[in-house]
Amino acid sequence: MIWAPVISIASKLAEYLFLPIRRQIGYVFNHNSNIQELKVQVEKLQGERQSVQHRVDEAKRHGQDIEDIVDKWLKSVDDANLEVGKFLQDNDTANMKCFMGLCPNLKMHYQFSRKATKKKEVVVQIQSEGKFDRVSYYTSPPWTGPSKDYEVFESRTLVLKEIVGVLKDDEVNTIGLYGMGGVGKTTLVKEVASQVREQGIFRKVVTTTITHVADIKRIQQEIAEWLGCKLVEETVRVRAARLSEHLKREEKILIILDDIWSRIKLEEIGIPFGNGHNTGCKILMTSRNQNVFLEMDVLRVFRLEVFQDKEAWHLFQKKVGNVKHPDLAIEVAKRCAGLPILIVTVATALKNKQLFEWKNALEQLKRFDDSEMDEQVTSALKLSYNFLKGEEIKSLFLLCGLHVFRSYQVDNLLKYAVGLGLFKRSKTLEEARNRLHKYVSDLKASCLLLEGIHKGEIMMHDVVRNFAISVASTDHNVFMVAYDTLLEWPSKDGLEQCSAIYLLQSEIPELPAAFECPKLESFLLDNFLLDAKYAFLKIPDGLFSTMKELKVLDLTGLHLSSLPSSLQYLQNLQTLCLDHCVLEDIGAIGQLNNLQVLSLALTLFSCQKK
């Protein structure tokens, strides 16, 4: 009986002594298998890293920031790969034989096998740390503030101070600013936003442009992006509830709704207002029509007037620079009707121009009475347009007018410009891109284009855009319907003369079986962000059969089981855009022998069994 405990203790002691020895010996004899297992785990880690990297790249494309823990994990994977790679290379080159190559080098086998096991444990540990529920997050973009060229004028300063004063009043949460197009409403509210942030009246400022046809989903998305939150819901009502819930949690937030053309329901967007909601959320709106604010029961409304002669002349003089003929210049400035956009546009166009050009400009501006403001705006813009040097930049200006309905990436214009052959002297795509940016810079200098919200983007004032569309329609036979319902197609004679058809996010019941458009050079049908049913708009097989001069074709936001067979007739097609589409069969593209640009941005490919 006395030997039983002793035997048990001895057995345990032997186990504790033997296991480490067996493990150490195992390093020697399991060298190859340990090295192979390390390679297997490294391959698994590389596969998981690639998967995480794909998620990171996708998040960055959508403007999201990457979690620090994800960046650190990716770096740890790269470091581990480098370290293991060097180790495996050393293992391959190590002398694993001794005694003139007759016996294995047990010491080397032991060392490398032991290190391989340790490194495998590290690799497995890194794998376990790479299981991320999410890799990114949304942040609010920084508020850029007003333009550096903001001019301080007494008439604007008085209105600005009044608006800022009302924004401090807890009893008022809706404020409206109205005035005619081009009077400077957008510029003023940007300055208001800058001042209330500097004074600490509001912690956040959110701004979005409404336009004449309010796109509720786009407005919701833009507000959400400013707030740094994400709306994943599809229906407008649910998105509104989610956005409202988020806004109610915010403290001291100003929402600017710019360029409202008709009554909108704030609750449909998801903006809380009125009794029962926190007073920290306030709404500042701009419109051309005071009645819009009356219909929306806006609590305080301000009017922004045109400049008086003294202020108009001061701004004109600053923009035109050295004035050689002051009397003539003063007369030209008066003819700009006190509208800042006209003053800046005309003054910029006439800078460093000769006397006969000044006289010609005055004659053009005199053709209309002061009461005919719209005609006068058109006259001034036409003057600036005529001063553009060369057909290339004029064509680009009109192209911008047909595309730039909000902040827009400059490089997105390149595919259309190349397809239409606007830059005939450019031999390479890089040369064409450089020329595009040069002309965009010139259009900004002429005050016909504005800086966009984000870097690399441009905008166009709606007054300027309306003018560009008018010129394109009148002088170049462009048919356009944007953000509206298409009521009827042009007549047969009208279609035969069309050089371009632009259907931009417009509700189109159906397309005709074929278009008799022998002169058509570009056709754009953009259904992206419309109701889902318009994504399944049927493209008739023979739609393009008579469009043999077509150079640019853009079908955006459509679900196409196959491309129409009439695509084969488009042998002059240079650019084909199928962005934001769901495509099942794109074999017809192979018949386009002269295609230079194919755009498939954010397009999905679906393979369906028949």
Side-chain angles (χ1 to χ4, degrees), residues 18-52:
F18 177 71
L19 287 178
I21 294 173
R22 185 174 65 178
R23 184 166 57 248
Q24 301 302 319
I25 294 173
Y27 288 140
V28 175
F29 293 102
N30 296 324
H31 167 265
N32 290 337
S33 61
N34 287 340
I35 292 293
Q36 187 59 35
E37 181 62 23
L38 173 61
K39 291 179 179 179
V40 169
Q41 294 302 325
V42 167
E43 287 181 3
K44 287 183 179 179
L45 182 61
Q46 289 173 339
E48 292 184 14
R49 189 208 184 284
Q50 186 179 44
S51 177
V52 172

Side-chain angles (χ1 to χ4, degrees), residues 132-308:
F132 301 108
D133 293 332
R134 67 176 191 181
V135 299
S136 61
Y137 60 95
Y138 280 89
T139 57
S140 302
W143 173 254
T144 55
S147 168
K148 293 182 292 186
D149 298 328
Y150 177 77
E151 292 284 337
V152 178
F153 294 101
E154 184 179 355
S155 62
R156 269 56 184 156
T157 301
L158 291 173
V159 179
L160 188 148
K161 286 182 177 179
E162 288 189 69
I163 292 175
V164 172
V166 172
L167 287 171
K168 296 177 182 179
D169 186 349
D170 290 342
E171 300 299 319
V172 179
N173 59 7
T174 54
I175 302 157
L177 176 68
Y178 75 97
M180 67 176 300
V183 78
K185 301 183 294 295
T186 300
T187 302
L188 185 65
V189 295
K190 281 186 178 180
E191 180 63 21
V192 169
S194 179
Q195 291 202 13
V196 296
R197 279 180 62 88
E198 288 177 2
Q199 296 177 29
I201 301 173
F202 295 97
R203 294 177 59 189
K204 288 185 178 180
V205 175
V206 172
T207 181
T208 183
T209 303
I210 306 300
T211 70
H212 59 288
V213 179
D215 183 344
I216 301 299
K217 290 185 75 171
R218 177 189 63 79
I219 295 166
Q220 291 172 330
Q221 182 64 29
E222 196 163 355
I223 293 174
E225 289 177 3
W226 277 110
L227 295 173
C229 67
K230 185 176 182 180
L231 297 177
V232 297
E233 298 81 7
E234 285 297 322
T235 60
V236 169
R237 183 181 297 181
V238 178
R239 289 162 65 92
R242 182 74 66 195
L243 189 59
S244 178
E245 180 184 353
H246 192 99
L247 285 169
K248 288 175 184 177
R249 294 197 299 266
E250 294 285 346
E251 294 182 6
K252 295 184 177 181
I253 181 170
L254 174 63
I255 300 175
I256 297 176
L257 304 177
D258 194 21
D259 196 22
I260 299 175
W261 284 64
S262 59
R263 179 177 179 266
I264 59 173
K265 295 181 179 179
L266 299 176
E267 62 271 19
E268 287 186 359
I269 298 173
I271 301 174
F273 71 102
N275 296 331
H277 297 293
N278 66 17
T279 56
C281 180
K282 299 198 176 187
I283 305 103
L284 174 60
M285 297 165 271
T286 74
S287 179
R288 298 185 183 190
N289 191 340
Q290 182 185 16
N291 292 330
V292 171
F293 298 142
L294 297 177
E295 293 173 6
M296 294 177 64
D297 296 322
V298 175
L299 296 178
R300 288 294 302 273
V301 176
F302 298 88
R303 178 187 174 102
L304 191 61
E305 302 284 359
V306 298
F307 279 147
Q308 298 301 313

Side-chain angles (χ1 to χ4, degrees), residues 315-348:
L315 179 60
F316 187 93
Q317 192 175 25
K318 179 174 181 178
K319 295 297 180 182
V320 82
N322 184 31
V323 178
K324 298 179 179 179
H325 313 285
D327 293 339
L328 180 57
I330 290 172
E331 183 65 21
V332 170
K334 285 182 179 180
R335 291 287 172 174
C336 291
L339 286 170
I341 188 173
L342 286 185
I343 295 168
V344 172
T345 301
V346 172
T348 304

Side-chain angles (χ1 to χ4, degrees), residues 72-130:
K72 290 178 180 177
W73 183 82
L74 290 172
K75 185 178 185 306
S76 70
V77 174
D78 293 339
D79 292 344
N81 282 334
L82 285 173
E83 186 176 336
V84 172
K86 184 178 183 303
F87 169 75
L88 292 174
Q89 185 177 10
D90 291 343
N91 176 77
D92 292 340
T93 57
N95 184 8
M96 294 295 178
K97 298 288 185 178
C98 64
F99 295 110
M100 302 179 66
L102 299 176
C103 299
N105 189 330
L106 299 181
K107 180 179 179 181
M108 297 296 289
H109 275 68
Y110 169 80
Q111 290 177 344
F112 277 91
S113 181
R114 186 171 185 273
K115 288 181 181 179
T117 301
K118 298 295 183 184
K119 291 184 184 299
K120 182 194 74 172
E121 293 173 355
V122 172
V123 169
V124 171
Q125 177 63 29
I126 294 175
Q127 286 181 35
S128 67
E129 294 170 353

Side-chain angles (χ1 to χ4, degrees), residues 515 517-521 544-551 566 568-573:
F515 270 126
C517 303
K519 298 182 180 179
L520 200 69
E521 292 190 345
F544 306 114
S545 57
T546 62
M547 300 182 187
K548 297 183 179 180
E549 296 301 317
L550 200 67
K551 297 177 180 177
S566 56
Q568 64 182 308
Y569 298 108
L570 305 182
Q571 292 306 308
N572 287 313
L573 196 69

